[in-house]
Amino acid sequence: MKLIPSLSFNGRCRAAFDFYRQCLGAQSGECMTWGESPMANEMSPDLHDKVMHTSLSVGDFELMGSDSPPEHYQKPQGLSVVITTDDVAKAEHIFQALAENGQIQMPMQETFWAARFGMLIDQFDIPWMVNCDKTVE
């Protein structure tokens, strides 16, 4: 079994996933627009250039995304995408990259459970947590 988060966007999925690939050093996955899908005739022409499905991968982790039809889009609530690493410099770099034009909710800092931890909402309204585990000695 494999759990794969899938993020919904209001027309900005392609830009978001291009941004995430850059921030995370991720590999591109497949991408299909609503206009390229077998459902193209059922969808509004305004959606034809929007993303029906895309993905990226970092190591064994996969993230999916799509542009929701406007009547079905809801801003994300009650969840965060969590990135965990054991490299402080990498955690700080990823946090700063994702924070570009976003809103930092908790600055990257040492906590009782982590060498570094921070929370933000990126420029695409997606909540993230970046965690760098403390080294066990």
Side-chain angles (χ1 to χ4, degrees), residues 23-91:
C23 292
L24 303 173
Q27 299 295 315
S28 295
E30 57 195 68
C31 184
M32 177 183 286
T33 65
W34 287 100
E36 296 167 332
S37 79
M39 298 175 58
N41 293 337
E42 301 169 37
M43 305 308 291
S44 163
D46 294 343
L47 279 176
H48 282 202
D49 68 335
K50 303 300 180 197
V51 175
M52 184 188 91
H53 170 78
T54 193
S55 65
L56 60 77
S57 60
V58 177
D60 292 336
F61 175 76
E62 189 173 1
L63 183 65
M64 293 182 182
S66 65
D67 285 312
S68 296
E71 66 273 16
H72 296 291
Y73 176 76
Q74 293 181 359
K75 189 175 175 179
Q77 292 184 22
L79 66 95
S80 294
V81 180
V82 180
I83 297 173
T84 301
T85 181
D86 58 4
D87 182 324
V88 170
K90 188 173 195 172

Side-chain angles (χ1 to χ4, degrees), residues 6-26:
S6 184
L7 306 176
S8 295
F9 297 88
N10 193 14
R12 299 184 65 204
C13 183
R14 186 180 312 275
F17 269 66
D18 288 345
F19 179 71
Y20 300 153
R21 284 182 190 95
Q22 181 182 1
C23 292
L24 303 173

